[in-house]
Amino acid sequence: MVNEQELEGMLRAVSLRVTRPRVAVLGAVILAPHADADSIIGAARAELGSVSKQAVYDVLQALVDAGLVRRIEPSGSPARFETRVGDNHHHVVCRSCGDIADVDCALGAAPCLHASNDHGFVIDEAEVIYWGTCPDCAAKRLVDQQNLTITRSDT
């Protein structure tokens, strides 16, 4: 766990002024990787007592711009935030519960993948999102299917 002095040092290292909202938001992102803005707002309010949504959104944008936080946007999900930056890792998302986990680079160093046609772009990053079912949801689905089978055989 990161203490307040370490959070302040992280902000200073990227030339951001240290403010209570910035410290609270950065701490919330560290404690809950892949959290959405609403969750981060709740955590910041628990820490500070009160803070506006707009202030949290502004802090998140400042942290993203400074390279301390990465914003990911899985299809059909609100934006998520994490502090694992600079390594071009990917994500796996559960189609059932929306849980997100990190996946290391598919192959080699960034950008990890090579486009079949770069259309003249200088590609410096590749973002891959794997979709599937997490172990908890898969187990629940299996139990539900077994219960349905038992119920059908009882009739």
Side-chain angles (χ1 to χ4, degrees):
M1 182 140 86
V2 180
N3 65 39
E4 192 167 331
Q5 291 76 23
E6 290 171 309
L7 294 171
E8 291 173 1
M10 292 170 73
L11 292 167
R12 285 187 185 101
V14 293
S15 301
L16 285 177
R17 192 167 48 88
V18 174
T19 64
R20 292 186 68 227
R22 285 180 177 166
V23 170
V25 169
L26 181 56
V29 175
I30 289 171
L31 289 176
H34 310 123
D36 62 16
D38 286 340
S39 300
I40 295 167
I41 290 166
R45 285 181 175 163
E47 174 79 19
L48 300 172
S50 71
V51 64
S52 72
K53 278 186 170 187
Q54 189 59 53
V56 173
Y57 282 112
D58 291 347
V59 168
L60 284 168
Q61 189 59 55
L63 295 174
V64 168
D65 291 345
L68 280 178
V69 169
R70 180 178 178 191
R71 176 189 176 114
I72 60 170
E73 298 183 52
S75 178
S77 173
R80 306 297 182 111
F81 300 88
E82 65 181 349
T83 54
R84 185 174 169 187
V85 297
D87 68 349
N88 196 214
H89 69 280
H90 309 298
H91 297 92
V92 60
V93 180
C94 178
R95 291 185 188 279
S96 184
C97 70
D99 191 30
I100 300 175
D102 291 334
V103 177
D104 287 332
C105 220
L107 272 181
C112 304
L113 302 173
H114 299 282
S116 60
N117 183 348
D118 63 19
H119 299 277
F121 284 68
V122 177
I123 297 173
D124 60 11
E125 181 177 0
E127 185 170 317
V128 175
I129 298 180
Y130 301 95
W131 293 88
T133 306
C134 72
D136 289 343
C137 289
K140 182 181 182 313
R141 183 177 293 155
L142 181 62
V143 168
D144 290 347
Q145 288 172 346
Q146 290 171 344
N147 288 341
L148 183 60
T149 302
I150 291 169
T151 303
R152 284 185 181 161
S153 66
D154 287 346
T155 54

